[in-house]
Amino acid sequence: MQVSVCSDVGRVRKVNQDSYCALTLSEGDQTAFFAVADGMGGYQGGEVASQLAIDTVGQFVAEHWQEWGSADRALDGLRAAVERANAAIISAQQDPQQAGMGTTFTAVLVQGETMFVAHIGDSRLYALGAAHVHQITDDHSVVGELLRAGSLTEAEAMVHPQRHLLTSALGSQTGAHVDVSAQGWNAGDVLLLCSDGLSNLITAEELLQTLQSSPDFSGYAARLVELANQRGGPDNITVLAVSREGAQ
Ligand code: MN
């Protein structure tokens, strides 16, 4: 597997509240864990929440994935890990500086040709093929629901005034609803995780064009971040892309 990653504060914000991880769990078994989280909350809250989610789930997966012999158990395990992260964030909110903090969380545990996805909020996981882009995760946002209902186009959603309003996130006192699913990973497909600082500015088609515009896969994430910054970079931008092959 080859990874291309870039996380940037953008052109407007003072602090990068996004976090990510890329963990190789077993090279022989082609098992790895990737995650992106986009924190929210004043003071240091957003950074704390996104890092806590990444660390809590990453550690749980690293300790337990070998016990998960079936897809059902892997999905149950991921769900348990995310629930643990939610509890850790809610507990840490007792610090007044971290009151109200929360985070999105999008992760994929890959094992050869299979991937297990856990997702809450509006960060995204895409699969990019030779001629198509498939957005695997549904945005848990007001605009995401309107889009799925057919009330908005992708272009309208990207500029909608309520595009930042989430319907679910980690740290939510009203309950965190996490989506988990098992999917196939086609050999030629590139997986791409990103925060909304990218997806609010770059269309799915542009993700594919940028991938195909250069043979340098290791620089792919940085090229997307640069493109988002050229468009104003109003938010933190995190991109983590994974290829099963070597160079693209
Ligand atoms: Mn964001």
Side-chain angles (χ1 to χ4, degrees), residues 18 38 195-197 235-236:
D18 290 355
D38 177 350
S195 60
D196 68 336
D235 192 6
N236 306 146

Side-chain angles (χ1 to χ4, degrees), residues 8-81:
D8 189 78
V9 68
R11 293 270 163 88
V12 175
R13 304 277 175 93
K14 287 195 169 64
V15 180
N16 189 350
Q17 299 189 317
D18 290 355
S19 297
Y20 69 90
C21 75
L23 302 176
T24 301
L25 299 172
S26 165
E27 282 184 29
D29 294 336
Q30 289 193 302
T31 302
F33 178 75
F34 306 100
V36 166
D38 177 350
M40 59 210 85
Y43 301 100
Q44 299 168 346
E47 298 150 85
V48 171
S50 65
Q51 194 65 54
L52 195 50
I54 295 280
D55 290 348
T56 304
V57 180
Q59 186 182 349
F60 189 91
V61 170
E63 286 172 359
H64 294 281
W65 72 272
Q66 285 172 299
E67 303 158 13
W68 302 336
S70 68
D72 283 347
R73 289 189 61 191
L75 295 178
D76 286 348
L78 275 180
R79 190 186 291 279

Side-chain angles (χ1 to χ4, degrees), residues 12 23 78-79 104 106 112 133 142 157-158 164 183 212 230 246:
V12 175
L23 302 176
L78 275 180
R79 190 186 291 279
T104 73
T106 300
V133 183
V142 172
M158 288 171 81
H164 301 296
Q183 316 256 347
Q212 293 167 348
Q230 283 169 9

Side-chain angles (χ1 to χ4, degrees), residues 126 158 198-204 206-207 224 227-228 231:
Y126 294 94
M158 288 171 81
L198 186 84
S199 55
N200 281 333
L201 297 171
I202 311 290
T203 66
E206 289 171 323
L207 297 177
L224 288 173
L227 192 56
R231 296 180 183 177

Side-chain angles (χ1 to χ4, degrees), residues 152-177:
L152 289 177
T153 65
E154 184 186 8
E156 287 167 343
M158 288 171 81
V159 296
H160 195 285
Q162 289 186 308
R163 63 189 177 278
H164 301 296
L165 268 188
L166 299 185
T167 51
S168 201
L170 291 184
S172 162
Q173 299 287 350
T174 53
H177 172 80

